[in-house]
Amino acid sequence: MLIRRPKGWEIPEREVTPEGVYMNRRELLRSMGFTAAGVGSLLATGSFAEASVQQRIRGVDAAVNYPDWPAADKYPAESSEVFTEELTGRGITPQNVTLAYNNFYEFRTDKANVWRHVERFETRPWEVEVGGLVDNPQTFDVDDLIRSMPLEERVYRFRCVEAWAATVPWTGFPFRALVERVQPQSRAKYIRMTTALRPQQMIGVEEQPWYPWPYHEALTIEEAMNDLCLLATGVYGKPMPKQNGAPIRLIVPWKFGFKSIKSIVAIEFTEEQPKTLWSTVTPTEYGFWANINPEVAHPRWSQATERVIPNNQRVPTRLFNGYAEWVADMYRDLGAEYGEWLYR
Ligand code: MTE
C-alpha cells in the first residue's frame, strides 16, 4: 500500500517547524490551486488557516443535513447528571461550529466544507452488523436499536490530535449496553469498528485511493465497557447530522478524535488487536491507544496545549482530556511511560 504521496513541491516534514507556519503554507498552496497531498500530514494540519474558522462557517445552515429519522421522537434525551457542561470546565461549542467544522475524510479533507458534500449520503435504512467472537451475533436496524436503548445527553470535551478542541452535547447510549446484548466469548479482547464505504455517495473515497478504506478503528473490550464510552446517535438535542457521523458513531472523549469513528456499519469482536486505518498509514504518528496526554508530543508538534474552537484560545491539554478519574486505571499495566499509552 502506498503510504505517502509526496509531491515535488512539498518541502520535507523535517523542515517544518511551527504548526501554524505549516498550515499557512498549505493554505497558500491551496489558494494557488494545488490539492491536498500528504497522507500523514493531512490529518495533522487541516487545510486552511484555523483563524478563519468563524469567517468560513458564517451563514452556514448545516442543519439542512439532518436526516429524516424514524426515531426522532427520542430527542432531546434526558441530560446526564454527571457529564454536564460544568464538568467540562468550559462552555459548549456553538452548534453551527460543530456542524460545520468536521473531519470526515470519506467526503473532504477540508474541515470547513465536509457539510457541503454529504447530501447524497443515505443514512436510512441503515444496519449495524455485530459479530465475531460473540455468542449472540445480531444485525440491528439502527432505529430499532436506538428505540431499544436508554438514550442520554452527555456534554463531553472533544480533542482532535491536530490540537483543536471543542465541547459537545452528544446524545447516545453506553457502548456497554450493546456489548452485553451480544455476549462476547472469553477469547474476545478487542472490538473492531468499520465505517460504511459508499464511493458513489462519498466523494472523497475515490479521490484518495491511497487510504485503506473503509475507515476502521478499534478499542479493547474493557475500553468499550468503560462508563464514558458512548455510541452517539445525536447531537445538540437532535439526530446526528450526516457530517458528524449519522446515524451512529463512537465517542471516546479521553482519546484523540480519530478514534471516534463515524457512520458505523460493522462491529466485530476479536482476539487479536485489530489494525486501524491511521495506525496503518502512519504508525509512528497515530497509534492504537491514542490517549490524550499533554506530555507526549506528536512527532511533529507539541500536545501540551490545545486550541478551543471557534476562538482558538490556547489552553493546557488535560491528561486523558480531563477524564483520568474514569479511565486511567485501564492503562496502569501498559507501562510507566506515557508515550507507550499513545504510540504502542
Ligand atoms: N470517522 C470516519 N469514518 N472518517 C473520518 O475521517 N475522522 C475522525 C473521527 N471519525 C473520521 C472519523 C477525526 S480525525 C475526528 S477529529 C473526528 O471524527 C471529528 O468528528 P466531528 O467532525 O464530529 O468533529
Side-chain angles (χ1 to χ4, degrees):
M1 184 195 57
L2 191 53
I3 303 263
R4 181 156 169 78
R5 291 160 53 95
K7 294 274 193 294
W9 42 265
E10 271 196 299
I11 58 170
E13 296 295 352
R14 64 180 176 276
E15 286 176 33
V16 177
T17 33
E19 189 188 352
V21 170
Y22 189 66
M23 287 192 287
N24 289 338
R25 180 177 62 87
R26 287 229 172 251
E27 175 73 336
L28 178 67
L29 291 169
R30 183 168 300 276
S31 67
M32 289 163 68
F34 291 97
T35 52
V39 170
S41 57
L42 271 178
L43 181 63
T45 59
S47 55
F48 62 92
E50 309 294 342
S52 66
V53 173
Q54 193 69 284
Q55 185 193 339
R56 291 286 286 270
I57 62 170
R58 194 178 298 141
V60 168
D61 180 13
V64 75
N65 291 313
Y66 280 120
D68 184 10
W69 183 289
D73 56 313
K74 296 273 284 184
Y75 303 85
E78 294 247 322
S79 298
S80 165
E81 287 176 10
V82 180
F83 302 112
T84 58
E85 180 176 8
E86 194 182 2
L87 184 77
T88 69
R90 60 189 183 212
I92 289 177
T93 306
Q95 173 175 316
N96 66 345
V97 175
T98 305
L99 271 55
Y101 189 73
N102 306 102
N103 272 330
F104 204 162
Y105 275 34
E106 289 86 335
F107 296 93
R108 303 244 42 97
T109 53
D110 174 356
K111 283 189 268 296
N113 283 318
V114 172
W115 68 273
R116 293 182 207 271
H117 294 276
V118 295
E119 207 172 339
R120 271 191 293 158
F121 182 35
E122 290 169 15
T123 57
R124 291 297 185 289
W126 190 278
E127 288 187 337
V128 183
E129 188 184 347
V130 189
L133 299 175
V134 294
D135 285 339
N136 189 18
Q138 291 181 61
T139 298
F140 297 94
D141 170 78
V142 78
D143 293 300
D144 292 346
L145 183 65
I146 291 165
R147 287 193 177 283
S148 69
M149 287 293 184
L151 290 196
E152 182 176 68
E153 180 171 271
R154 298 178 177 190
V155 184
Y156 278 158
R157 296 162 65 91
F158 188 86
R159 170 66 152 79
C160 181
V161 72
E162 299 161 343
W164 58 269
T167 310
V168 184
W170 304 107
T171 303
F173 58 88
F175 203 139
R176 189 197 304 114
L178 183 64
V179 174
E180 285 166 355
R181 281 221 195 151
V182 295
Q183 298 163 19
Q185 296 165 1
S186 56
R187 276 191 304 142
K189 300 277 179 301
Y190 296 92
I191 302 181
R192 180 184 199 271
M193 287 149 282
T194 312
T195 296
L197 182 58
R198 312 240 185 95
Q200 303 293 322
Q201 300 175 17
M202 300 166 144
I203 61 163
V205 168
E206 283 180 352
E207 283 178 10
Q208 306 170 89
W210 52 88
Y211 286 113
W213 307 112
Y215 197 101
H216 48 288
E217 256 303 336
L219 297 174
T220 63
I221 294 187
E222 188 187 14
E223 289 174 329
M225 302 280 281
N226 185 275
D227 280 347
L228 282 177
C229 192
L230 198 69
L231 282 168
T233 61
V235 70
Y236 296 92
K238 292 183 186 158
M240 191 71 76
K242 295 177 184 181
Q243 64 270 30
N244 292 93
I248 186 164
R249 73 174 294 180
L250 181 69
I251 293 294
V252 270
W254 71 98
K255 291 180 181 282
F256 290 120
F258 64 85
K259 298 292 292 184
S260 290
I261 180 172
K262 295 175 166 181
S263 304
I264 298 170
V265 289
I267 298 178
E268 185 192 357
F269 289 68
T270 68
E271 188 169 5
E272 304 296 324
Q273 187 183 101
K275 289 205 180 318
T276 64
L277 181 141
W278 285 111
S279 65
T280 300
V281 294
T282 324
T284 53
E285 301 197 356
Y286 309 109
F288 175 82
W289 297 105
N291 291 315
I292 296 167
N293 187 333
E295 294 183 32
V296 179
H298 183 278
R300 287 183 285 127
W301 62 88
S302 163
Q303 294 289 17
T305 63
E306 60 194 28
R307 192 171 47 73
V308 183
I309 58 170
N311 299 322
N312 295 332
Q313 75 271 26
R314 282 269 166 193
V315 300
T317 300
R318 296 188 187 171
L319 181 61
F320 294 112
N321 205 16
Y323 298 108
E325 173 187 340
W326 281 270
V327 300
D329 279 351
M330 292 192 288
Y331 306 104
R332 298 238 181 270
D333 296 341
L334 268 188
E337 293 298 315
Y338 287 169
E340 295 186 27
W341 293 359
L342 182 62
Y343 292 120
R344 216 168 58 167

